[in-house]
Amino acid sequence: MKIVSKYKDYYDSVVAYGQDSETLYIRHTEKRVLKNVGSLKGFLPIYLDEIVVHHNETYEVHQIVIGFCGKLYPCILLKSIGLKQFKNKVFYSAQDLDEYFDKLTSSNKHIEFVEYYDQGVRPSLSELEKYFENIAYAKDYTNWFTSINCPVFTINNKLFKKEDYENVRLNNEFPVEANSKLKDLEFYKVKDAFTCFQEISQFISGVLADKETKSSEISNLDKIRKRGFDEKYSFRKESKKNK
């Protein structure tokens, strides 16, 4: 697979081991809109907006869904927005996040779990498990990927605007970031570089290419019908033997 991109991701190094030049991944990060996505009730949020430590350090809680080659992966990003004493933290399991909460509370006398500007409570392990292990993530979402024609995207609750939530409710559509940089979300914890590269390559050359082929075939049939030609013979003259 050949990659055309303005940024480097963690799986790019696999290109050095040889590549299929016929498969092309144009990896430009941009906003796209998922339409007709169905109900989002299966995705249970964690009611936590920020974690404030010592009044001068804050973690902004990003609840992220990573779309990768037909599947969805839940992720929590704790983004440091205070004095930068802490590094960003990324979690893919309830157990790991719960253990980090233990570490924070045991090493800091003052810590607040904030729920949308109000004093909240620390999410329990059970609540975290409902988020990370929800059955909704076990389903196949290939149609989402083919609809926006990309192998990777992210949905981030912090990037949603008021009108985006209205679109979800009224129009059954919402924005995603297409071709997101997976290194920033430490996706190598889920897929190693070789596996990640290989699955993206196969998804583009297989699923997405098949969609393009079908769309082309449908388009050609439409052209034939609109011009009043027979689908079997198209623009060729019908054989006299068949008359």
Side-chain angles (χ1 to χ4, degrees), residues 91-149:
F91 299 90
Y92 287 93
S93 76
Q95 189 65 43
D96 288 345
L97 182 53
D98 189 60
E99 289 178 359
Y100 187 69
F101 284 166
D102 282 341
K103 180 180 178 180
L104 279 179
T105 52
S106 62
S107 59
N108 297 280
K109 293 181 179 180
H110 179 85
I111 183 170
E112 294 181 15
F113 291 87
V114 182
E115 181 183 332
Y116 301 104
Y117 306 108
D118 294 322
Q119 179 67 47
V121 295
R122 169 183 167 173
S124 67
L125 177 59
S126 177
E127 290 173 323
L128 297 179
E129 287 174 342
K130 288 179 180 178
Y131 173 80
F132 282 102
E133 300 170 18
N134 194 287
I135 193 172
Y137 294 111
K139 299 179 182 179
D140 182 87
Y141 294 91
T142 298
N143 61 313
W144 288 18
F145 294 79
T146 56
S147 70
I148 57 174
N149 196 34

Side-chain angles (χ1 to χ4, degrees), residues 1-3 10-15 17-20 23 25 27 68-69 151-152 182 187 191-207:
M1 176 176 68
K2 182 178 180 181
I3 301 174
Y10 78 93
Y11 55 87
D12 290 3
S13 59
V14 179
V15 174
Y17 295 95
Q19 58 177 310
D20 173 13
T23 301
Y25 182 15
R27 194 178 61 193
F68 180 83
C69 298
V152 176
L182 296 177
F187 197 64
K191 303 279 185 179
D192 63 71
F194 181 81
T195 301
C196 185
F197 182 94
Q198 186 178 48
E199 290 188 13
I200 291 176
S201 178
Q202 291 174 345
F203 195 80
I204 292 174
S205 62
V207 176

Side-chain angles (χ1 to χ4, degrees), residues 5-237:
S5 179
K6 293 182 179 180
Y7 68 86
K8 297 290 185 180
D9 216 329
Y10 78 93
Y11 55 87
D12 290 3
S13 59
V14 179
V15 174
Y17 295 95
Q19 58 177 310
D20 173 13
S21 59
E22 293 184 1
T23 301
L24 179 64
Y25 182 15
I26 301 177
R27 194 178 61 193
H28 298 326
T29 301
E30 61 183 3
K31 179 180 177 180
R32 297 182 188 176
V33 178
L34 274 175
K35 299 181 178 180
N36 302 317
V37 295
S39 175
L40 298 179
K41 293 181 179 179
F43 301 94
L44 299 178
I46 296 173
Y47 296 103
L48 181 62
D49 189 51
E50 292 181 345
I51 302 173
V52 181
V53 182
H54 288 312
H55 298 290
N56 58 12
E57 184 59 51
T58 300
Y59 272 137
E60 195 174 58
V61 182
H62 291 241
Q63 301 179 42
I64 300 173
V65 175
I66 299 174
F68 180 83
C69 298
K71 298 291 185 181
L72 302 182
Y73 298 84
C75 165
I76 293 291
L77 165 65
L78 301 184
K79 185 175 182 179
S80 177
I81 58 174
L83 298 179
K84 306 299 181 183
Q85 296 176 354
F86 297 159
K87 293 183 179 180
N88 292 347
K89 298 287 184 179
V90 182
F91 299 90
Y92 287 93
S93 76
Q95 189 65 43
D96 288 345
L97 182 53
D98 189 60
E99 289 178 359
Y100 187 69
F101 284 166
D102 282 341
K103 180 180 178 180
L104 279 179
T105 52
S106 62
S107 59
N108 297 280
K109 293 181 179 180
H110 179 85
I111 183 170
E112 294 181 15
F113 291 87
V114 182
E115 181 183 332
Y116 301 104
Y117 306 108
D118 294 322
Q119 179 67 47
V121 295
R122 169 183 167 173
S124 67
L125 177 59
S126 177
E127 290 173 323
L128 297 179
E129 287 174 342
K130 288 179 180 178
Y131 173 80
F132 282 102
E133 300 170 18
N134 194 287
I135 193 172
Y137 294 111
K139 299 179 182 179
D140 182 87
Y141 294 91
T142 298
N143 61 313
W144 288 18
F145 294 79
T146 56
S147 70
I148 57 174
N149 196 34
C150 73
V152 176
F153 65 81
T154 53
I155 305 169
N156 187 336
N157 71 315
K158 289 296 183 183
L159 302 182
F160 270 34
K161 300 177 181 178
K162 184 178 181 181
E163 55 267 29
D164 293 328
Y165 285 103
E166 285 297 302
N167 278 333
V168 172
R169 185 175 65 86
L170 299 176
N171 303 320
N172 198 22
E173 61 184 39
F174 58 87
V176 303
E177 182 183 79
N179 303 313
S180 304
K181 188 175 182 179
L182 296 177
K183 181 180 179 180
D184 291 344
L185 296 174
E186 301 178 10
F187 197 64
Y188 46 81
K189 293 179 178 178
V190 181
K191 303 279 185 179
D192 63 71
F194 181 81
T195 301
C196 185
F197 182 94
Q198 186 178 48
E199 290 188 13
I200 291 176
S201 178
Q202 291 174 345
F203 195 80
I204 292 174
S205 62
V207 176
L208 296 183
D210 184 54
K211 180 241 183 182
E212 290 295 324
T213 301
K214 289 180 179 178
S215 296
S216 178
E217 290 174 352
I218 293 172
S219 178
N220 288 336
L221 280 176
D222 286 340
K223 291 178 181 178
I224 292 170
R225 291 166 182 158
K226 286 179 180 179
R227 287 166 173 76
F229 289 91
D230 183 87
E231 293 178 16
K232 180 178 180 182
Y233 296 100
S234 182
F235 298 100
R236 297 172 295 171
K237 291 184 179 180

